[in-house]
Amino acid sequence: MNSPTDVDLRMMRALVAVVDEGTFTDAAVVLGVSQASVSRAVAALEGALGARLLQRTTRHVGLTVTGRRVLAHARRALDEVAALRRVAQDGGGELRVGYAWSALGRHTTAVQRRWAAEHPGSALVLVQSNTRTAGLADGIADLAVLRRPADDDRVAGVVVGLERRYAAVAATDPLARRRRVRLADFAGRTIGVDALTGTTSEELWPSGVAPAGTREVHGVDEWLTLVAAGQAVGITSEATTRQHPRPGVVYRPVEDAPPVAVTLAWWRDDPHPQLAALRRLVVEAYGASPGTVPNTLGGT
């Protein structure tokens, strides 16, 4: 029994060519095949779909009612296949970089501008995805900026910079009046934590000065809303302070907290051809800032 799986691109191309050119002969010329081949392809399509698509006379070839509907779908299918080929073949057309919270922080715009200047035929597109791989596993990103391990053996990465940790507190919180804070200042407090993509857990604190507990959030907006309401305090990377200023939230550096490693990640078995170029720009951006890693830092 025939089924939709019997339909292939050759059949759809033949139908579209016959309709566009008006005759089987002209369609054969456009496709670079014989007239008999075009006739067989259209007949095979009609057989696979179980419906007549063309009305044939000695002078004219026209679409049936069903043929008109099938033609519209065939054109869309061929367009989608052409788009897939462009994506696969045009590695320089667009580089999509995923991130969970804060892209590259204060370096984001500078890296985008340098990329545009050095790669005029390629767009650097930043895509937010609150997932462990920041869009890699979902197929929406070619590379990803991570600030915690991806926990996925398929993903490789290299550290491209370090960022200081900052506390986020409500503007009415006593800690907001200080210029900087220490981890011990959070003893007995509730910490807002994004367990999926955040950079903070109770393991950050030494024994004896741990917070009272954590409150789970899902993404940066929920985290900021919680902090602004005074329902929790937070600790995050410097990038968050640059990308997400929020009325009612004050950021203060945590002077005794270890820095956050920023990792550029990719599929281990399929490195993107522009990986090295972007890595260089990002490392240079972070390398120009105090307290960041040198270009020779190894991978994760």
Side-chain angles (χ1 to χ4, degrees), residues 158-162 279 283-284 286-289 291-298:
V158 60
V159 176
V160 290
L162 297 177
R279 174 186 175 182
V283 168
E284 289 177 359
Y286 276 95
S289 303
T292 56
V293 294
N295 194 20
T296 55
L297 191 64

Side-chain angles (χ1 to χ4, degrees), residues 198-218:
T199 58
T200 302
S201 70
E202 292 182 275
E203 297 176 357
L204 182 64
W205 280 266
S207 58
V209 294
T214 62
R215 181 164 170 178
E216 187 171 353
V217 300
H218 303 87

Side-chain angles (χ1 to χ4, degrees), residues 168-174 189-192 215 222-234 247-250:
V169 300
T172 56
D173 192 296
R189 306 290 293 272
T190 298
I191 308 296
R215 181 164 170 178
E222 185 177 332
W223 180 80
L224 286 167
T225 301
L226 190 73
V227 171
Q231 298 175 3
V233 294
V249 175
V250 173

Side-chain angles (χ1 to χ4, degrees), residues 242-262:
R242 301 284 181 159
Q243 294 286 104
H244 299 286
R246 174 70 67 90
V249 175
V250 173
Y251 294 105
R252 293 291 182 261
V254 185
E255 59 184 11
D256 59 341
V260 175
V262 182

Side-chain angles (χ1 to χ4, degrees), residues 170-206:
T172 56
D173 192 296
L175 293 180
R177 296 195 292 268
R178 301 188 187 181
R179 295 183 61 183
R180 58 183 56 84
V181 298
R182 299 179 62 84
L183 288 172
D185 294 325
F186 297 90
R189 306 290 293 272
T190 298
I191 308 296
V193 172
D194 184 337
L196 185 65
T197 61
T199 58
T200 302
S201 70
E202 292 182 275
E203 297 176 357
L204 182 64
W205 280 266

Side-chain angles (χ1 to χ4, degrees), residues 84-109:
L84 285 174
R85 286 179 173 155
R86 288 194 297 272
V87 169
Q89 295 171 1
D90 185 12
E94 183 176 274
L95 178 60
R96 298 175 67 83
V97 179
Y99 67 95
W101 275 42
S102 307
L104 297 170
R106 64 191 180 91
H107 306 298
T108 302
T109 301

Side-chain angles (χ1 to χ4, degrees), residues 1-2 24 38 43 76 84 90-91 107 130 201 218 232 246 275:
M1 179 181 293
N2 288 323
F24 282 80
V38 175
R76 285 197 293 269
L84 285 174
D90 185 12
H107 306 298
N130 201 54
S201 70
H218 303 87
R246 174 70 67 90
L275 167 63

